[in-house]
Amino acid sequence: MITRRSVLIGTVGVLAAPAILRAQTNTIKIGHLAPLTGAISAVGRYASMGATVAAEKINAAGGILGREVQLIIEDSVNPATASNKAERMVNIDKVDFLQGESSSPSAVAIMQVAERSQKIFMHTGGNSDKLRGEQCNRVTFHCDAMNTMYVNTMARSMLRDGRVTGKKWYMLTADYAFGHDLTRVVRRFGDANGANFIGEDLVPLDVADFSPYLLKVRQAQPDVVIINLSGLQVTNFIKQYYDLGLEFPLAGASTDIALAWAAGRENFSGEWPVIWLHTLDNPASKAFTAAFMAKYNEPPENQAWSDYVGLTALAQACNETKSIETVRLIEYFEKGATFESLKSRPSYFRSWDHQIMTEMFMMKPIAADAKADKWNWLTVGPPLPNADQPLEILAPTAEENACHFKV
């Protein structure tokens, strides 16, 4: 079990690191917060694991500015607790940076602490557009895709496959801010590209029996069912959908690979946007997956990717600027510095909202008769956007999601 103060990442790596690192008594402290208990703890677990693998890689290569990276990992629990723990990390632990958080409400709380303390926060999980828009701040860099990017990945893939213009769409939406955010972007894209919205149901988070909604879907006879549900709602819905014998194509706006793995191959279907999958065939992705497998005996998922990429990008920025000063690191990223993101194209942070610009993918299960173990039954199609298109085509414009940094 990962607990506070037991996580001094680099102890193993330091033994094999250069002498300058072994002799250095100072460390670079990174306060890492993630939901390690509660409804999305599976995602938070991968966040801490991804950051751990990144820290070990950085330390094995000499650390940050010759100093060992030390991770202090905490359970964020909820927004109030996340804020208190972030404050303690800054004021008592004297961390140099903050990282993590898969929950958007808790991420906002940490962002506020980071802004007050002028500490860089590598935000790796919450997907709300508002964090990059009206709630943005200049010390925060967003290492996961925002809701609009996930929706646009799904929608552009469907447009490419001829499943938008003139097609009947039926939506099921989680009845809270996350679901409403997804629906807003789905409607914007569908209206702009000629989709025919024939129905939508708002589904309370505590609903376990989806039969009333499934009967309405069957009666509507849609061309595509768009799923804007959250967490375990997704897997419960899919299981009941196929138990009822429905066969209308499913497309989801957002999910985590950890939830698909937990549901199992027999209870998961449809096509879903993801930011990364461990089966991507390129040297950097294979190396990360191999290191993760060697340490944890299971592959990394998308949240582990965000934390790994976020921390390695931060280390690159510090080593290339020869500084851990907030102002210099912000300038480095805002000038368009690119970094390795385990894909065919490098990624970067957009200067005006600090959102990562990166390739995305559509994920689906492999053929039912194909053999696979419990980790390797998912596959992804070609990256989006297309190679001749800018990465920013998936993200909202400044007019659609304005961010105004304080000077």
Side-chain angles (χ1 to χ4, degrees):
M1 176 67 181
I2 298 172
T3 57
R4 180 175 176 81
R5 304 299 180 190
S6 69
V7 183
L8 297 176
I9 300 307
T11 302
V12 175
V14 169
L15 296 178
I20 187 173
L21 179 57
R22 293 199 302 270
Q24 176 63 259
T25 56
N26 290 335
T27 59
I28 298 292
K29 293 184 179 181
I30 298 175
H32 189 281
L33 288 152
L36 301 176
T37 56
I40 57 173
S41 59
V43 176
R45 170 177 168 268
Y46 280 108
S48 63
M49 293 158 73
T52 298
V53 173
E56 291 182 344
K57 176 185 177 179
I58 294 164
N59 285 338
I64 292 178
L65 302 178
R67 296 160 63 184
E68 178 188 353
V69 173
Q70 174 187 341
L71 281 180
I72 300 174
I73 294 177
E74 286 268 16
D75 183 359
S76 55
V77 185
N78 56 45
T81 302
S83 178
N84 289 337
K85 289 185 175 182
E87 290 276 8
R88 184 171 65 187
M89 287 174 168
V90 169
N91 296 319
I92 297 178
D93 297 315
K94 304 298 182 184
V95 298
D96 299 287
F97 305 106
L98 294 167
Q99 181 171 322
E101 198 45 56
S102 307
S103 161
S104 290
S106 292
V108 173
I110 300 168
M111 287 171 64
Q112 293 168 349
V113 174
E115 186 172 36
R116 288 193 298 270
S117 61
Q118 286 298 288
K119 298 289 185 184
I120 294 290
F121 173 36
M122 302 303 283
H123 169 227
T124 59
N127 306 121
S128 171
D129 284 12
K130 287 185 177 181
L131 272 64
R132 291 87 165 159
E134 63 187 64
Q135 296 172 323
C136 72
N137 68 47
R138 200 169 188 182
V139 299
T140 300
F141 290 85
H142 305 280
C143 308
D144 195 356
M146 59 204 296
N147 284 334
T148 291
M149 293 170 67
Y150 280 102
V151 171
N152 282 342
T153 299
M154 173 197 74
R156 285 188 172 277
S157 173
M158 293 173 64
L159 185 65
R160 183 175 61 190
D161 296 341
R163 294 188 291 156
V164 178
T165 306
K167 301 300 182 181
K168 296 182 292 183
W169 285 11
Y170 196 105
M171 294 194 294
L172 289 104
T173 299
D175 194 11
Y176 78 116
F178 170 76
H180 301 166
D181 210 17
L182 296 179
T183 292
R184 173 182 56 81
V185 184
V186 170
R187 284 195 176 276
R188 184 169 65 204
F189 187 94
D191 289 341
N193 291 279
N196 178 17
F197 291 95
I198 61 172
E200 179 184 9
D201 290 314
L202 297 176
V203 183
L205 289 177
D206 60 353
V207 166
D209 180 7
F210 284 90
S211 56
Y213 305 101
L214 295 173
L215 293 174
K216 292 175 68 175
V217 169
R218 183 167 64 183
Q219 184 176 10
Q221 295 288 301
D223 294 309
V224 182
V225 179
I226 306 293
I227 306 173
N228 299 325
L229 300 176
S230 174
L232 293 177
Q233 280 187 317
V234 172
T235 50
N236 288 338
F237 172 81
I238 291 174
K239 184 177 187 305
Q240 294 175 45
Y241 186 86
Y242 286 109
D243 284 347
L244 193 61
L246 299 182
E247 297 182 352
F248 309 111
L250 299 177
S254 179
T255 194
D256 284 297
I257 297 167
L259 296 177
W261 284 340
R265 186 175 180 179
E266 67 280 3
N267 294 321
F268 191 82
S269 186
E271 297 183 52
W272 301 82
V274 292
I275 201 166
W276 181 82
L277 185 66
H278 71 279
T279 57
L280 287 182
D281 188 10
N282 66 73
S285 184
K286 288 181 174 179
F288 169 51
T289 298
F292 197 99
M293 288 283 292
K295 186 172 183 64
Y296 297 112
N297 200 32
E298 62 180 287
E301 60 96 72
N302 54 291
Q303 184 62 64
W305 174 92
S306 296
D307 275 85
Y308 179 87
V309 168
L311 186 48
T312 54
L314 178 62
Q316 173 186 308
C318 294
N319 286 329
E320 291 194 3
T321 61
K322 296 180 171 53
S323 175
I324 61 170
E325 293 180 11
T326 297
V327 172
R328 292 192 64 184
L329 297 176
I330 289 173
E331 290 176 348
Y332 173 83
F333 284 127
E334 287 187 349
K335 287 180 179 178
T338 62
F339 47 87
E340 174 63 65
S341 56
L342 318 184
K343 304 174 185 180
S344 61
R345 297 163 71 175
S347 298
Y348 63 93
F349 293 112
R350 196 159 58 173
S351 62
W352 60 265
D353 63 354
H354 293 180
Q355 170 60 43
I356 193 171
M357 295 291 108
T358 190
E359 291 176 319
M360 303 282 288
F361 305 86
M362 286 300 291
M363 176 184 75
K364 63 181 181 180
I366 62 176
D369 58 352
K371 293 183 179 180
D373 63 24
K374 64 178 181 179
W375 306 116
N376 293 299
W377 50 273
L378 295 164
T379 187
V380 293
L384 288 161
N386 298 332
D388 60 348
Q389 295 176 316
L391 293 173
E392 295 195 28
I393 199 171
L394 298 178
T397 64
E399 290 74 25
E400 292 169 336
N401 199 55
C403 166
H404 302 290
F405 292 140
K406 295 178 182 178
V407 178

